[in-house]
Amino acid sequence: MRPAPNTTADRESDQTVAEKRAYEAVIERLSKASVDKHWEPYADIPWDDEDFLVRQDDPRWELPGVDKLGGHPWYRAQTPENRARIGLWRVATAMKIGLQFENLLKRGLLNYAYRLPNGSPEFRYVYHETIEEGHHGMMFQEFVNRTKFPINGMPGPLSLLAQITPWIPLISTELFFIFVLGGEDPIDHVQRKTLREGQIRHPLEETIMRIHIAEEARHISFARHYLRRRVPRMPRHRRFALGIVSPVVLGIMARIMLSPPGSMIKRFRIPEHVVREVYTGNPETAQQIRDSVGKTRELCAELGMMNPVQRRVWKAMGIWAAPAGKTAR
């Protein structure tokens, strides 16, 4: 039997070993789950079943009354066919932006994996995640193709700027996984809320959403565990810098994922005052953006990246909310 540690150094060493084993156990569990529970987009989705077909004038694409745009008098005054097309355009754009984000994510993950040493437990999991993200991309693009709409996703300048993302792991893997959470957490938050409230009426959208939520749960879990292991070990100055940059990344990403598509506004000639009332000037929309990054905000606070200076950046980005039971300062 190994003797109990009797010095501070011994206790710290044992704690480090235990934390490493716990972290590696999580990764092994996530890798096993990727084998045991995964989906193939062209095997597990009945794309050509009559009920799953995508038609632009299908009333099941209409936005529900509880939706901010769906409940607006301007939207309700449109023809049923136009209401359906607006709803379908918005879903398709979200999927196109999602697959573009996941394209950046896959390339970043592979850059991260490229430098991992032999025997690294992260290597296998990262490849599982990359494969799953590839399936998501095929699933989303197949949906977009079937709408027959000219969906472009991200605006051109933003898409060009985003090409730096896959190279972030070469500079800071911690920042890269903040970016990962910035793209995945807001969509996960909205999709879970949408399903919970019964807002989805088309079975194809619901099937895609449920597959995405199930597999993204693993991806989010890995990013969070990775950051919990790495950030506390960062030099103080680097952790401070990460705490300054993180809310900027999260604020931008949440708005990219949740803001109304400019192409939709232009194509359907949505009046400026409607966009202002529903999105840009609506306190509920601002709250939704704050809520969508809530889990990552709590994680940053847990990791010691929420001092008064850093908190000011969260407020400036419009994504600060005081922890439950506390008042904002």
Side-chain angles (χ1 to χ4, degrees):
M1 180 183 293
R2 185 182 176 191
N6 55 16
T7 68
T8 300
D10 286 339
R11 285 193 295 272
E12 289 178 350
S13 177
D14 282 3
Q15 182 179 357
T16 300
V17 170
E19 288 173 355
K20 181 181 179 183
R21 286 175 178 168
Y23 169 71
E24 292 180 352
V26 168
I27 296 176
E28 289 172 10
R29 190 162 63 246
L30 292 173
S31 292
K32 185 176 186 302
S34 291
V35 174
D36 294 342
K37 192 175 183 180
H38 65 275
W39 289 265
E40 297 281 347
Y42 293 103
D44 298 316
I45 301 176
W47 296 97
D48 296 317
D49 279 14
E50 182 65 25
D51 205 36
F52 277 64
L53 295 179
V54 178
R55 299 184 180 90
Q56 292 184 3
D57 59 355
D58 190 329
R60 292 177 296 179
W61 296 119
E62 285 192 36
L63 301 174
V66 295
D67 181 272
K68 296 178 188 66
L69 178 59
H72 195 280
W74 176 87
Y75 180 81
R76 304 315 308 171
Q78 302 300 304
T79 64
E81 295 78 12
N82 214 37
R83 290 199 300 267
R85 290 188 181 97
I86 292 172
L88 178 57
W89 187 285
R90 194 172 75 175
V91 172
T93 300
M95 291 198 188
K96 185 70 176 183
I97 291 176
L99 76 88
Q100 290 169 332
F101 164 75
E102 291 185 347
N103 178 289
L104 301 169
L105 171 59
K106 290 192 292 285
R107 287 186 278 154
L109 286 171
L110 291 174
N111 276 337
Y112 163 64
Y114 186 86
R115 299 192 300 167
L116 289 173
N118 296 338
S120 168
E122 291 94 345
F123 183 90
R124 174 186 164 185
Y125 173 74
V126 164
Y127 268 75
H128 280 307
E129 181 169 333
T130 303
I131 291 166
E132 289 166 0
E133 296 291 15
H135 287 165
H136 296 172
M138 288 189 286
M139 181 170 68
F140 291 162
Q141 186 62 56
E142 183 66 26
F143 180 91
V144 171
N145 292 345
R146 287 172 180 255
T147 69
K148 301 295 192 295
F149 280 143
I151 303 294
N152 294 320
M154 294 184 193
L158 179 61
S159 182
L160 184 63
L161 181 63
Q163 299 310 310
I164 66 170
T165 304
W167 303 104
I168 294 176
L170 305 183
I171 302 167
S172 169
T173 54
E174 296 84 4
L175 178 58
F176 175 71
F177 283 105
I178 288 287
F179 165 82
V180 170
L181 292 177
E184 292 183 340
D185 256 346
I187 292 299
D188 184 71
H189 172 84
V190 170
Q191 288 183 336
R192 288 178 185 273
K193 183 174 183 288
T194 301
L195 285 176
R196 189 168 58 247
E197 295 176 352
Q199 295 184 30
I200 306 301
R201 293 192 293 161
H202 198 291
L204 178 57
E205 182 186 4
E206 180 177 349
T207 300
I208 289 173
M209 196 173 286
R210 290 190 183 280
I211 290 172
H212 190 247
I213 287 172
E215 294 189 330
E216 288 298 326
R218 292 195 287 267
H219 307 170
I220 291 170
S221 178
F222 175 74
R224 292 172 68 85
H225 280 91
Y226 182 87
L227 289 168
R228 281 197 179 103
R229 176 156 179 78
R230 293 277 301 208
V231 172
R233 293 168 171 77
M234 294 176 73
R236 185 175 297 179
H237 69 280
R238 288 191 62 208
R239 189 165 68 244
F240 175 80
L242 183 65
I244 293 291
V245 176
S246 292
V248 176
V249 171
L250 295 168
I252 292 172
M253 292 299 298
R255 285 172 174 81
I256 291 172
M257 295 298 178
L258 303 181
S259 292
S263 59
M264 182 184 79
I265 294 169
K266 183 178 179 180
R267 183 180 181 91
F268 297 101
R269 299 179 180 178
I270 302 177
E272 253 184 61
H273 77 274
V274 175
V275 176
R276 187 168 56 251
E277 291 167 13
V278 172
Y279 296 110
T280 56
N282 191 318
E284 291 182 11
T285 299
Q287 185 62 51
Q288 182 186 48
I289 290 173
R290 285 194 294 273
D291 291 346
S292 75
V293 299
K295 291 181 179 179
T296 308
R297 185 173 57 239
E298 291 172 5
L299 177 65
C300 288
E302 173 191 330
L303 297 177
M305 297 194 297
M306 197 66 76
N307 66 29
V309 175
Q310 294 158 337
R311 193 157 52 240
R312 288 194 193 100
V313 183
W314 285 85
K315 292 178 180 179
M317 295 303 298
I319 54 174
W320 166 253
K326 296 183 180 180
T327 56
R329 289 185 293 174

